[in-house]
Amino acid sequence: MSKEKMWKLLLLIAIPIIIALIPTPAGLPPIAWLLFGLYLAAIVGLVLKPYSEPVILLATIAATAVVIGLFGGKDIKIAEVLKGYSSGTTWLVFAAFTLSAAFVITGLGKRISYILIGKLGGTTLGLGYVTAILDLCIAPATPSNTARAGGIVFPIINSVSVALGSDPNDSPRKAGHYLMVNVYMVTKTTSYMFLTAMAPNALALAMMADILHIQLSWAGWALAAAVPGLIMLAITPYLIYKMYPPELKKVNNKEIAAEGLAQLGPMSMREKLLGVVFILALLGWIFADMIGINASTVALCVMAITLLLGVVTWDDVLKNKGGWNTLIWYGGIIGMSGVLTKAGFFKWLADVMGEGLSFGDHSMVAFFVIMFISVAIRYLFASGGAYVAAMVPVFATVGMVAGAPPMLLALGLLFSNAYGGSLTHYGGAAAPIVFGAGYNDIRSWWIIGGVIAFLSLLVHMTIGLGWWEMLISMGII
């Protein structure tokens, strides 16, 4: 074990011990204080990453089970911390990962890309919008935006940059500089446009539901995100194009598309079946409430259908490390959050903040302040999941105490996690992949990311806010 990993491990062990040695705050059950120490250690572990996320959460769950067994009494049982693995939210994300993998395995994602390039990619700016449309098309079925941006979109756009004669060392500004950064900035918008477009979305919603007592369906989420999301998708490629214009303006898109489609060959039966299943999944998620089922049920049915039809095999599912990793650590963090809720920690936190914070009658001021901080603080996080686990409960509790409208607060925070990740070249797992291509420098990336992130915040807090209030007043969400 390296010295760096050893120090990180010792820090994680020290956190719950130090918390346990500090007297339990007044009004908080002792078991809740001990569980908070373990939860805090898990969050720090997700940020420092001495081990992978599943290892950190499994160790935390084991320690939590011991603490509950020794000090839990009759109110909290060991089974409580495992409830995250039976959560529909966890299985919604895991099942959607199967559909995501199918786009890569069957080649349908690439085929859609080349078709779009052939139709719309006659200019470099056009290729920027091809990226946006492609990402939007496959976002509902790809909860890993790393797989979407890094595994489907990036390889194609990178090969297009090379075909256009743009070299990372000698001629990055010819086309690659623009096309690469656009890939990432676009996916930071599509990632909040659907509940299933980014894995931390479902985790954040589960936490919001416990703290703010709100309910939001898959269709309600998509509808709320549609207006601000589409506005940003329309603006982003053009804005980046104007900020850092590529030297090459015209593109021989027909030749690039023809070569790409020729390599793929005729459309296979698996691709056709996947297209049908994908449409059925979208219809199921949109109309789930109307037919009396939930989004998790639809996702599980879609997963079963793809396996039964042979679109993917069980071996493909077993090889999908992203899905299994998410299943383990998401289930763990949801279970930990649920145990803290049951132990009364968040209720106590709300009471304490209610005594120490006062915005008077200016609840909307509190809302705007929270939203600004929620974006700015993303500079500190390299993982959307770690940000959600660490900050969403705090922001939600502060907003609730300040009297911010629960649904508006929830929507604002649910979406800001994604676009806040555009700030840096480490703000999400896809960023190092795209940045690693070598076309972009840190300075220009941070400038573009800052503009996109805070412009997104402005759009959400103006047009988006009006849209959400209208949906709420009509009883749609």
Side-chain angles (χ1 to χ4, degrees):
M1 181 183 294
S2 67
K3 288 184 178 180
E4 182 181 2
K5 180 179 284 190
M6 177 65 75
W7 280 113
K8 289 179 179 179
L9 179 60
L10 290 175
L11 175 62
L12 298 188
I13 294 173
I15 289 173
I17 294 175
I18 293 172
I19 293 293
L21 293 176
I22 298 173
T24 303
L28 184 67
I31 181 64
W33 186 237
L34 295 175
L35 293 173
F36 167 69
L38 294 172
Y39 186 76
L40 181 61
I43 292 171
V44 174
L46 292 176
V47 175
L48 298 180
K49 294 185 178 179
Y51 300 95
S52 63
E53 289 94 339
V55 174
I56 292 169
L57 263 299
L58 283 175
T60 305
I61 289 170
T64 300
V66 172
V67 169
I68 291 175
L70 294 175
F71 308 105
K74 297 180 180 180
D75 296 330
I76 303 177
K77 303 298 182 183
I78 294 176
E80 294 288 340
V81 76
L82 298 176
K83 281 188 175 180
Y85 295 110
S86 63
S87 166
T89 300
T90 304
W91 284 96
L92 167 65
V93 175
F94 178 71
F97 263 97
T98 301
L99 199 55
S100 171
F103 274 91
V104 178
I105 294 167
T106 63
L108 182 59
K110 286 186 176 181
R111 189 175 300 278
I112 295 172
S113 303
Y114 286 121
I115 291 173
L116 289 173
I117 289 171
K119 298 292 185 183
L120 305 172
T123 63
T124 314
L125 178 60
L127 288 174
Y129 281 100
V130 165
T131 301
I133 295 170
L134 171 63
D135 206 305
L136 179 63
C137 287
I138 61 178
T142 46
S144 169
N145 55 17
T146 307
R148 183 168 72 251
I152 297 176
V153 181
F154 166 75
I156 295 168
I157 300 301
N158 188 46
S159 64
V160 169
S161 299
V162 173
L164 295 177
S166 186
D167 181 84
N169 298 315
D170 301 327
S171 54
R173 288 295 179 90
K174 189 172 184 179
H177 183 279
Y178 166 70
L179 293 175
M180 288 298 106
V181 73
N182 185 67
V183 167
Y184 183 70
M185 297 303 160
V186 160
T187 208
K188 292 289 96 180
T189 292
T190 60
S191 291
Y192 67 75
M193 292 186 70
F194 306 97
L195 173 60
T196 47
M198 186 173 73
N201 289 348
L203 175 61
L205 181 57
M207 289 179 165
M208 295 281 191
D210 285 340
I211 298 172
L212 299 177
H213 309 293
I214 55 100
Q215 289 186 337
L216 187 64
S217 66
W218 190 97
W221 178 305
L223 191 59
V227 169
L230 289 174
I231 289 173
M232 285 309 303
L233 282 183
I235 293 174
T236 297
Y238 181 77
L239 181 58
I240 299 173
Y241 186 87
K242 286 298 183 180
M243 291 178 68
Y244 291 91
E247 297 168 358
L248 183 67
K249 309 299 182 184
K250 297 291 184 179
V251 176
N252 188 357
N253 59 312
K254 301 297 183 183
E255 181 179 338
I256 293 173
E259 289 179 1
L261 291 171
Q263 290 178 0
L264 291 173
M267 191 172 189
S268 67
M269 180 57 69
R270 293 172 75 191
E271 290 179 82
K272 294 176 182 177
L273 290 173
L274 176 58
V276 173
V277 171
F278 178 51
I279 292 172
L280 291 175
L282 289 180
L283 293 174
W285 282 323
I286 292 171
F287 298 108
D289 287 345
M290 293 177 61
I291 57 180
I293 61 175
N294 58 43
S296 302
T297 302
V298 174
L300 288 171
C301 290
V302 168
M303 181 179 180
I305 290 171
T306 57
L307 289 167
L308 292 172
L309 294 178
V311 176
V312 294
T313 66
W314 183 246
D315 285 339
D316 294 327
V317 175
L318 292 176
K319 293 174 185 176
N320 188 1
K321 294 181 180 180
W324 291 106
N325 284 341
T326 301
L327 176 67
I328 297 300
W329 86 266
Y330 260 50
I333 204 72
I334 289 177
M336 287 293 299
S337 177
V339 167
L340 277 175
T341 301
K342 187 173 181 63
F345 178 80
F346 291 118
K347 182 180 182 302
W348 168 82
L349 184 63
D351 292 340
V352 171
M353 288 183 171
E355 296 174 0
L357 292 173
S358 177
F359 286 91
D361 296 328
H362 306 290
S363 59
M364 290 306 293
V365 173
F367 172 58
F368 291 131
V369 170
I370 291 170
M371 288 309 306
F372 178 82
I373 296 174
S374 76
V375 175
I377 204 169
R378 283 294 269 115
Y379 275 111
L380 304 178
F381 288 88
S383 163
Y387 164 82
V388 167
M391 301 311 303
V392 163
V394 177
F395 288 141
T397 303
V398 171
M400 179 181 66
V401 169
M407 184 58 79
L408 295 181
L409 177 64
L411 293 172
L413 291 175
L414 288 170
F415 301 159
S416 69
N417 174 38
Y419 64 76
S422 63
L423 287 169
T424 65
H425 62 299
Y426 54 79
I433 298 173
V434 179
F435 186 79
Y439 287 99
N440 302 100
D441 59 281
I442 294 177
R443 180 178 178 275
S444 63
W445 186 291
W446 279 45
I447 291 174
I448 293 170
V451 170
I452 296 299
F454 287 103
L455 178 60
S456 296
L457 176 63
L458 178 62
V459 169
H460 282 72
M461 293 298 96
T462 52
I463 299 172
L465 193 59
W467 172 242
W468 302 339
E469 288 177 333
M470 186 184 75
L471 294 177
I472 293 170
S473 66
M474 295 172 65
I476 297 176
I477 59 173

